[in-house]
């Protein structure tokens, strides 16, 4: 087939009709058949009357293939939305191996993604990633002016299928009414319940239906029937603290379970900002975690050393904040988890590191929140915090924590001589593994956290060459590095929850490591991390002076 291309109009409209050859200016010889046109994708729930179509309607041939009325399954964004209550699922491998779109459609979308939606591609990116990152960038920026619309758009295409070998059971637990975070909570903030879901991968998909994972009473409060000595992943999802959910993050959680040899995942739906700003999401995380490890309050008595606290993006920052809170409270210090695993954690809400600006073109994370109902220039820049004065709080931005002072407002930890209270010796974090993308905006804050905030802790940071923010979500595109990263994180969970752990092994020892496009890692050390940050400042200074 011979195809010629015309320049795409840079003033491409912000509406997304069905993909057509005319829209993409693809000129096909008259005797050639037109590319296959798929059925129109289902529309999102019309809770917001202003949203009549989703960005992915425009991309239907690539990301949407069929509607199966028999199984009530819709395939969107290359994945399948499954009603888990009906026990439907897909076979493993179908998600990554689905390639039913034509090369013409792929090229059309690639040109549109890069030329219309901007940004830069990295040399090691696959064609799929070169398409996906601009699409994600456009979605994030297009709908950042309304909290409700952004949530609706993300939910309309991000719900993830569960293979038949994965079980999913919802849970609810009561909040801890006896815990208040500093003086920032009212009594009513500590009331209510926290929900989420148990996720577990089973090697034998036939046996999982016969396995009784938990018993739930009439109040839907769950108690585990399996051994409390088995490894467990306590997962906190990302989404800038205001969107996404445990359900949307199933593409990550079920794979973490698989790669950690079937470890159960306790995935928490904490309260979202701006309705539930700091510290309420942290209080929800604390309540959910203590429900597992604190038997005196109705918890099921898990061994905390068998738990790895995990999260991506905002959830990664929340995972570290949870651990800092446990570290600094003597009553709960004994419940410190066995490890921490983070996927591109958001550790600095002040955006003080150079990669936040320098990597804007190769990442999809928007520069700011823009809903005018909540955002006030110079006063409030995030939905998560009520005021910018909270952005440097160590439990909001763990980058500002350290191992010698409690993770709290320093004004609240003065002693009688008006000096900041300090620990006699560094209070370290559990073994920690952080994966960040080399091309993402949050890269430098993870490096600085490892070499400064937690310098005495067993922290290992792996920088994955050219990868964008939370690149693990692109497993549905068949990205090998995305799958390798999740596999490495799963292996870490298995390793740190063993009784005999040797962190001198090459794959486990602390430090800063560079992972190339083939998945091979090399240690660059503290000096290498400092050089990356210093080079970033040089680039930023040159760009500002030019």
């Amino acid at each position: 087939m011979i195809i010629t291309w015309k320049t795409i109009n840079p003033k491409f409209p912000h509406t997304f009709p069905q993909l057509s050859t005319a829209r993409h200016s693809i000129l096909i010889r008259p005797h050639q058949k037109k590319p296959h046109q798929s059925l129109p994708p289902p529309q999102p729930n019309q809770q917001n009357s202003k949203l009549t179509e989703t960005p992915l309607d425009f991309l239907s041939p690539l990301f949407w293939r069929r509607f199966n009325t028999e199984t009530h399954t819709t395939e969107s964004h290359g994945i399948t939305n499954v009603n888990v209550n009906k026990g439907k699922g897909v076979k493993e491998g179908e998600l990554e191996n689905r390639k039913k779109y034509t090369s013409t459609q792929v090229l059309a979308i690639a040109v549109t993604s890069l030329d219309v939606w901007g940004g830069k591609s990295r040399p090691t990116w696959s064609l799929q990633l070169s398409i996906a990152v601009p699409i994600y960038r456009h979605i994030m920026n297009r709908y950042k002016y309304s909290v409700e619309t952004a949530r609706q758009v993300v939910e309309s295409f991000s719900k993830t299928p569960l293979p038949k070998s994965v079980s999913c059971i919802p849970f609810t637990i009561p909040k801890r009414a006896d815990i208040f975070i500093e003086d920032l909570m009212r009594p009513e903030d500590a009331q209510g319940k926290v929900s989420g879901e148990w996720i577990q991968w089973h090697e034998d998909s036939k046996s999982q239906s016969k396995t009784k994972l938990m018993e739930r009473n009439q109040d839907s409060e769950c108690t585990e029937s399996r051994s409390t000595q088995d490894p467990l992943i306590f997962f906190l999802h990302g989404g800038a603290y205001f969107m996404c959910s445990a359900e949307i993050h199933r593409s990550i959680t079920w794979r973490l379970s698989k790669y950690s040899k079937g470890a159960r995942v306790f995935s928490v739906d904490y309260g979202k900002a701006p309705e539930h700003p700091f510290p309420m999401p942290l209080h929800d995380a604390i309540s959910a975690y203590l429900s597992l490890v604190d038997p005196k309050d109705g918890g099921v008595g898990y061994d905390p050393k068998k738990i790895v606290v995990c999260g991506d993006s905002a959830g990664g920052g929340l995972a570290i904040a949870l651990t800092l809170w446990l570290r600094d409270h003597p009553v709960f210090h004994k419940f410190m988890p066995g490890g921490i695993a983070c996927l591109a954690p958001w550790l600095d809400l002040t955006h003080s590191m150079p990669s936040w600006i320098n990597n804007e073109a190769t990442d999809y994370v928007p520069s700011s929140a823009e809903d005018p109902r909540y955002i006030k220039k110079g006063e409030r820049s995030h939905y998560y915090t009520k005021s910018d004065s909270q952005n440097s709080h160590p439990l909001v931005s763990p980058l500002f924590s350290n191992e010698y002072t409690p993770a709290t407002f320093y004004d609240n930890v003065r002693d009688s001589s008006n000096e900041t209270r300090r620990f006699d010796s560094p209070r370290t974090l559990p073994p920690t593994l952080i994966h960040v993308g080399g091309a993402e905006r949050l890269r430098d804050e993870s490096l600085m956290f490892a070499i400064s905030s937690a310098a005495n802790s067993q922290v290992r940071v792996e920088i994955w060459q050219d990868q964008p923010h939370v690149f693990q979500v692109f497993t549905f595109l068949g990205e090998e590095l995305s799958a390798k990263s999740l596999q490495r994180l799963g292996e870490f969970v298995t390793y740190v929850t063993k009784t005999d752990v040797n962190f001198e092994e090459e794959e486990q020892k602390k430090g800063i490591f560079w992972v190339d496009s083939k998945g091979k890692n090399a240690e660059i050390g503290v000096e290498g991390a400092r050089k990356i940050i210093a080079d970033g400042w040089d680039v930023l200074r040159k760009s500002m002076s030019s």
Side-chain angles (χ1 to χ4, degrees), residues 176-181 283 286-287 289-291 293-297 304-305 322-337 427 430:
R176 288 288 294 248
D178 60 328
I179 293 177
F180 294 88
I181 300 175
H283 185 270
I286 293 170
S287 298
Y289 182 80
L290 292 180
S291 74
V293 300
D294 190 3
K296 71 173 185 179
D297 195 51
K305 299 306 177 186
L322 163 63
T323 312
L324 290 170
W325 187 90
L326 294 170
R327 182 199 71 178
D328 295 341
H329 288 76
V331 175
F332 301 103
H333 185 271
K334 61 184 178 181
F335 298 127
M336 288 275 281
R427 291 192 179 182

Side-chain angles (χ1 to χ4, degrees), residues 198-199 224 227-235 260 262-267 288-289 292-293 300 302-310 337-339 493-494 496-497:
W198 288 94
I199 295 288
E224 258 305 310
S227 171
T228 57
Q229 296 297 314
D230 291 341
L232 188 149
I233 299 171
F234 182 87
F235 188 84
S260 57
R264 289 157 293 168
V265 180
F266 192 77
S267 188
Y289 182 80
L292 297 172
V293 300
V300 294
Y302 285 88
D303 180 356
K305 299 306 177 186
K306 296 293 185 180
I307 298 178
V308 174
V309 176
C310 183
V493 170
T494 303
V496 298
T497 53

Side-chain angles (χ1 to χ4, degrees), residues 249-507:
H249 279 69
R250 287 175 183 167
S251 65
I252 291 177
T253 53
W254 79 256
R255 287 180 172 90
L256 285 175
S257 177
K258 176 182 178 180
Y259 292 133
S260 57
K261 299 182 179 180
R264 289 157 293 168
V265 180
F266 192 77
S267 188
V268 181
D269 273 320
Y270 53 86
K272 310 294 188 303
E275 298 88 349
H276 304 282
F278 174 78
M280 286 184 278
L282 177 58
H283 185 270
D284 288 352
I286 293 170
S287 298
Y289 182 80
L290 292 180
S291 74
L292 297 172
V293 300
D294 190 3
K296 71 173 185 179
D297 195 51
V300 294
Y302 285 88
D303 180 356
K305 299 306 177 186
K306 296 293 185 180
I307 298 178
V308 174
V309 176
C310 183
D312 72 291
S313 193
L318 194 58
I320 294 178
L322 163 63
T323 312
L324 290 170
W325 187 90
L326 294 170
R327 182 199 71 178
D328 295 341
H329 288 76
V331 175
F332 301 103
H333 185 271
K334 61 184 178 181
F335 298 127
M336 288 275 281
I340 306 172
C342 292
L343 296 69
W346 191 12
L347 303 176
D348 178 18
L349 271 67
T350 69
H351 303 316
S352 63
M353 303 305 294
S355 63
W356 176 255
I357 297 176
N358 293 339
N359 288 350
E360 180 180 6
T362 53
D363 205 359
Y364 58 83
V365 177
S367 295
S368 60
E370 299 287 349
D371 193 325
R373 294 171 297 171
Y374 307 102
I375 303 303
K376 306 296 180 184
K377 187 175 181 180
E379 299 178 11
R380 183 181 184 182
S381 56
H382 297 290
Y383 302 129
Y384 185 46
T385 51
K386 294 181 179 180
S387 168
D388 284 346
S389 63
Q390 294 181 333
N391 291 345
S392 58
H393 191 302
L395 294 179
V396 172
S397 297
L399 180 62
F400 293 91
S401 67
N402 63 70
E403 297 169 319
Y404 291 93
T405 55
T408 181
F409 278 131
Y410 294 146
D411 289 342
N412 293 340
V413 292
R414 302 284 181 179
D415 59 20
S416 58
S417 60
N418 200 34
E419 295 293 332
T420 300
R421 179 163 56 88
R422 293 179 62 84
F423 305 134
D424 294 333
S425 59
R427 291 192 179 182
T428 58
L429 294 175
T432 301
L433 176 62
I434 297 176
H435 282 188
V436 293
E440 74 162 288
R441 306 185 74 178
L442 305 187
R443 180 196 65 198
D444 291 351
E445 55 202 67
S446 286
L447 299 180
M448 184 59 73
F449 176 80
I451 66 177
S452 179
S453 306
N456 296 290
S457 299
Q458 182 72 35
V459 178
R460 179 186 177 104
V461 178
E462 295 182 0
I463 311 166
W464 292 66
Q465 181 182 358
D466 289 346
Q467 295 303 299
H469 184 59
V470 193
F471 60 95
Q472 296 83 357
V473 301
F474 297 113
T475 50
F476 76 91
L477 293 175
E479 292 295 309
E480 292 184 7
L481 287 186
S482 300
K484 285 183 179 179
S485 172
L486 289 173
Q487 183 176 0
R488 172 76 184 91
L489 290 162
E491 292 171 351
F492 174 79
V493 170
T494 303
Y495 192 82
V496 298
T497 53
K498 296 192 308 182
T499 55
D500 53 335
V501 180
N502 178 17
F503 288 106
E504 295 304 317
E505 294 184 14
E506 182 63 29
E507 293 298 319

